[in-house]
Amino acid sequence: MKPVVRSLLETDLYKFTMWQAFLHMHPGAIGEYEFKCRNTPAFPLAELKDEVERELDRLCEMMFSEEEVEYLRSLRFIKSDFADFLTLFRFQRKFVSVNTDGPHLRIRASGPIVHVMGFEIFVLYIVNELYFRRVDQAAALEEGRKRLKQKVDEFRAFDTEPKRLNPFDFFDFGVRRRFSGEWHEEVVATMARELPQYFRGTSNVYLAKKFNLVPIGTMAHEYMQAFQSFDVRLRDFQKKALEDWVQEYRGDLGTALTDVVGMDAFLRDFDLYFAKLFDGLRHDSGDPVEWGEKALAHYAKLRIDARTKRLVFSDALTVPKALDLYRHFADRVQLGFGIGTKLTNDTQFEPLNIVMKLVRCNGQPVAKLSDSPGKGMGTDDTFIAYLRQVFDQHI
């Protein structure tokens, strides 16, 4: 069978942007990441253990090519010392372990964050691809192409609607839960070819390079969560994380993630200073319309013209859902839509709902309090209760 991982470049852009920020500001941080499957798979994931082990062995033998590093170096926000670091970087097998617990697959990465944070995306799409290699490939691809054509047709029908103040822009956010690497590539190539007026890029850096697309991404939950363990009062961790990001990127990569401890708690910290410095916000849990209205009300309260800002939606989006959100907000604010699983793993077979999240940093528990029940992440109930109390989060 073909190896799953084709290149160390084939990961989400925000892995590189967060990686650089940690390397420069918190190079000694120690993290622990845990894999979790949130739904019930068609067969026990424990059956994949040996195959996952082999794929991780191979991953830890790979290095960035000179051409790949030069591509990263060409991105204006990637600094030369980080690119130099990547020329030497190799994943260390000792930092990642694979075990089973009955039918469950247990994967843990533990060590210096700058050495283990990169495992996440690779682990997720390794598990996904190995899992879906067991289904009828021909039938899955036939159905996938049929549904992909329906998406293109939906966009073409949308093309006939009256134009709004702001354009519709969407991007591929589907690397982690894709059906396979080859299918992911076909989907991105199809969207770039058929819908250039709407399709603006991909989070997959390897495919962005291959198809000359814009790589998309800023930060993920792990970046914000890590600050819960840093030398700052817990109540201030979001402000410290945002401030460090501003200092690292000086106005670039200006989309802030809002749901590490819930939108309401985020907005209490997102004052005029940050609201002016950041270009916009990203939604990843909770009701998207309610979230967007809260964001617009916050900008209005701060006397900021929301038409100069952008809201990015990325939570379990489908094409119809993205279009409905666009119709609701397009005349009031700039918009972007990151479509993931429903773009890269939309067949007759149910996708896995798998994550690999930071659960401890510097020996302390960290957690995510989502605005959607079931999307939270954390392993220490006492810390989670304390975090809820500090941020008045009662979900």
Side-chain angles (χ1 to χ4, degrees):
M1 300 293 286
K2 285 184 180 180
V4 173
V5 181
R6 301 181 289 190
S7 162
L8 292 187
L9 211 58
E10 190 153 32
T11 189
D12 280 321
L13 177 69
Y14 65 33
K15 277 295 170 179
F16 292 109
T17 59
M18 294 186 295
W19 199 351
Q20 178 172 272
F22 281 134
L23 183 67
H24 286 158
M25 297 191 174
H26 303 280
I30 304 297
E32 296 178 32
Y33 293 74
E34 287 188 2
F35 171 90
K36 181 179 181 180
C37 183
R38 293 168 169 163
N39 61 350
T40 303
F43 63 86
L45 294 185
E47 294 180 14
L48 298 175
K49 179 181 183 296
D50 291 344
E51 295 170 80
V52 171
E53 296 262 28
R54 284 195 295 271
E55 292 292 339
L56 289 174
D57 288 344
R58 181 178 178 278
L59 175 68
C60 292
E61 295 171 354
M62 300 174 70
M63 295 187 71
F64 288 96
S65 71
E66 184 176 342
E67 180 184 356
E68 290 169 339
V69 173
E70 289 309 306
Y71 172 78
L72 290 170
R73 203 186 296 270
S74 74
L75 304 177
R76 67 176 182 265
F77 43 81
I78 296 296
K79 298 176 181 176
S80 60
D81 66 321
F82 179 53
D84 292 340
F85 168 81
L86 294 179
T87 65
L88 303 173
F89 178 78
R90 190 192 296 262
F91 283 109
Q92 303 297 310
R93 191 64 173 84
K94 64 185 178 182
F95 291 141
V96 62
S97 63
V98 185
N99 294 289
T100 59
D101 178 11
H104 305 292
L105 191 62
R106 304 296 188 198
I107 305 174
R108 173 182 287 269
S110 181
I113 279 188
V114 295
H115 284 279
V116 302
M117 64 179 294
F119 277 114
E120 176 199 358
I121 307 300
F122 295 108
V123 165
L124 293 177
Y125 76 71
I126 283 171
V127 172
N128 255 302
E129 184 152 345
L130 294 175
Y131 177 84
F132 285 105
R133 282 180 179 179
R134 298 195 179 191
V135 307
D136 185 328
Q137 299 293 297
L141 292 176
E142 181 181 1
E143 181 64 21
R145 291 185 180 111
K146 175 184 173 184
R147 297 186 185 192
L148 186 59
K149 183 180 183 303
Q150 289 173 346
K151 293 177 178 64
V152 172
D153 291 343
E154 286 178 274
F155 280 119
R156 288 184 174 151
F158 166 74
D159 213 17
T160 65
E161 295 184 15
K163 300 305 178 189
R164 303 297 188 96
L165 178 63
N166 292 295
F168 181 89
D169 295 337
F170 84 102
F171 3 92
D172 155 48
F173 274 10
V175 62
R176 64 183 57 210
R177 298 187 188 126
R178 66 192 188 184
F179 180 81
S180 71
E182 290 183 359
W183 176 239
H184 191 183
E185 189 165 325
E186 182 175 336
V187 168
V188 168
T190 300
M191 290 296 173
R193 180 182 67 249
E194 300 292 335
L195 299 166
Q197 71 273 40
Y198 300 128
F199 188 64
R200 299 301 181 206
T202 174
S203 66
N204 184 329
V205 183
Y206 172 82
L207 293 183
K209 176 179 180 294
K210 181 167 186 173
F211 294 114
N212 194 29
L213 297 168
V214 177
I216 304 289
T218 54
M219 66 178 74
H221 299 97
E222 67 187 283
Y223 173 76
M224 302 283 281
Q225 284 176 249
F227 282 80
Q228 295 169 5
S229 75
F230 292 164
D231 189 18
V232 61
R233 194 174 63 151
L234 183 62
R235 179 64 188 82
D236 297 325
F237 88 87
Q238 292 189 112
K239 289 181 280 189
K240 176 59 174 171
L242 294 173
E243 180 63 31
D244 276 13
W245 192 266
V246 168
Q247 294 304 318
E248 177 67 24
Y249 289 108
R250 312 296 297 180
D252 233 327
L253 302 172
T255 302
L257 183 61
T258 65
D259 72 329
V260 175
V261 286
M263 180 62 162
D264 293 339
F266 176 85
L267 291 179
R268 288 195 290 270
D269 289 340
F270 197 67
D271 59 13
L272 184 62
Y273 171 76
F274 289 123
K276 285 187 172 182
L277 289 174
F278 280 86
D279 299 323
L281 305 171
R282 178 162 77 90
H283 169 265
D284 199 50
S285 67
D287 182 272
V289 172
E290 180 183 343
W291 176 90
E293 293 295 347
K294 284 182 178 180
L296 294 180
H298 189 69
Y299 282 128
K301 177 183 175 183
L302 298 175
R303 299 183 180 180
I304 291 175
D305 185 352
R307 292 173 297 181
T308 67
K309 299 297 181 179
R310 169 175 278 213
L311 301 183
V312 177
F313 294 87
S314 62
D315 180 29
L317 286 186
T318 62
V319 171
K321 187 175 178 180
L323 292 176
D324 284 345
L325 288 168
Y326 172 80
R327 295 180 186 110
H328 185 87
F329 289 110
D331 290 326
R332 293 184 285 164
V333 64
Q334 299 170 46
L335 297 164
F337 299 91
I339 305 179
T341 308
K342 282 297 184 179
L343 195 61
T344 62
N345 199 352
D346 189 10
T347 73
Q348 69 271 48
F349 299 104
E350 183 184 1
L352 294 175
N353 187 354
I354 55 177
V355 295
M356 189 167 179
K357 295 293 186 182
L358 182 69
V359 295
R360 295 182 71 82
C361 188
N362 292 337
Q364 300 178 40
V366 298
K368 168 192 169 187
L369 305 180
S370 173
D371 282 324
S372 294
K375 286 194 74 175
M377 193 73 180
T379 58
D380 188 304
D381 291 340
T382 301
F383 176 74
I384 291 172
Y386 177 52
L387 193 62
R388 290 191 190 283
Q389 181 181 14
V390 169
F391 286 95
D392 194 26
Q393 216 260 34
H394 301 296
I395 291 177

